[in-house]
Structure formats: structure tokens, C-alpha cells
Amino acid sequence: DSGVTQTPKHLITATGQRVTLRCSPRSGDLSVYWYQQSLDQGLQFLIQYYNGEERAKGNILERFSAQQFPDLHSELNLSSLELGDSALYFCASSVAMADAAFFGQGTRLTVV
Amino acid sequence: GEDVEQSLFLSVREGDSSVINCTYTDSSSTYLYWYKQEPGAGLQLLTYIFSNMDMKQDQRLTVLLNKKDKHLSLRIADTQTGDSAIYFCAERVGNTDKLIFGTGTRLQVFP
């Protein structure tokens, strides 16, 4: 158990809908990362927050957004969902920005 | 550029050593990592090495880094069936915090 908690574990939704994925980092970790894992794209970095502020952005679509709250948990919002958004979404956390990142179990999103 | 490559598949006999290779392109990489992903599970951090090191050993795991050739390898001694999984190498690039992952190597251990 990495100490990073993601909910829900599985999500099935229809095209055009909006979902929110939640991540609780390890106790004491200030940095949260979101990654998308799909068969065709592999593991892609989406976005990173550090202590509530956006730190780095990767291949994140405009339909997607994220935030980190004062209690350091983070949410990834995916809207206007398309079939191609079906993937495993991972959250990871680290103590500080340059430390090793520990990953959650992921949320499997299926868009039908 | 940012590109990390791995061979897709490796099959070894139980008890043998496994060597999983990875090449990266960004010379400003600071840390390099190995993660393990079992079916239906998340990514488990196995080990990491700082870019100014050549080797790191941790129990059955040995990481070798050839910075000149931008080549990273993970050796698993006495490979067990429980080691069957997908192994990802990843690099932390320069002053950024994002990890660039390789395609993953599926290790299959047979008796």
C-alpha cells in the first residue's frame, strides 16, 4: 500500500458526461501528480500541483481540469467525455517536488 | 527531446537473473526510476538512482546507469514468479517534476 488513495476505483459513464476523480496523497506529501495510462498512449503526465498551486502541465486536454485543496487532496475533473478518454487515471504524491513519487491504485474510467 | 524506450517483452526461467533495459534521450535527466505494475494494480516504486551515480544495489535489485550512452538497466537476481509484471523506467527531466515513462517491459517468469 503506497498510502495514496484514489476514489472511485472504477467509473463507467456515457459520452458527453462529466466526472470527478479524487486523490488523497500520502500524509505529509505536498506534491500531487495526475497521469493517464492508455493502451495507445502509455503513461502520460497530465498535471502537477504543489501545496495548492499548479506547478507543471503536461498533455492535459482543455476539457480536463484539476485542483488541489487546502487539505492537499486533489480532484481531476473530466468533462464532455469521449470514448477515447477511457483509461486508467493515476494520482501520485511526493513530499517535495524533486522526491520520488508514490502512486495510487488508479481509477479505471470507461466511457460508453 | 523527451523519449524513453524499452523492449516490450522479456521471458526468463525462475531462478535466473532478469535484465530489463531502458534508453532515454534527455541528457538533463536528474533522477531515473524503476516502477513495477502488476495486473490491475497501480505503479509500485522499486528503486531509483541519481544521475551522478553509476550503480545502486537494493537486495535482489541492481540498477546500472550509463550516462554517456543514456542507458539504464534493472537486474533482478533469482527471479521469482511473483516478479512477473510490467516494469517501467522513468526519468525526471531537468528542473521539472514530471516523470517521462517508458513503454514498459512485460516480464514473464516461467517455472
Side-chain angles (χ1 to χ4, degrees), chain B residues 43-56:
Chain B
L43 290 154
Q44 175 194 353
L45 176 66
L46 288 177
T47 186
Y48 62 94
I49 188 168
F50 188 50
S51 58
N52 68 353
M53 296 170 64
D54 298 324
M55 186 185 91
K56 181 179 179 182

Side-chain angles (χ1 to χ4, degrees), chain A residues 36-72:
Chain A
Q36 179 194 59
Q37 185 180 34
S38 61
L39 282 173
D40 54 343
Q41 296 284 331
L43 266 161
Q44 296 283 320
F45 169 75
L46 295 178
I47 198 164
Q48 181 212 356
Y49 280 82
Y50 178 76
N51 205 19
E53 294 191 5
E54 184 183 301
R55 164 73 181 170
K57 226 169 183 176
N59 303 321
I60 187 165
L61 300 172
E62 284 191 13
R63 300 183 285 109
F64 296 180
S65 64
Q67 53 184 328
Q68 186 180 27
F69 295 86
D71 67 353
L72 301 177

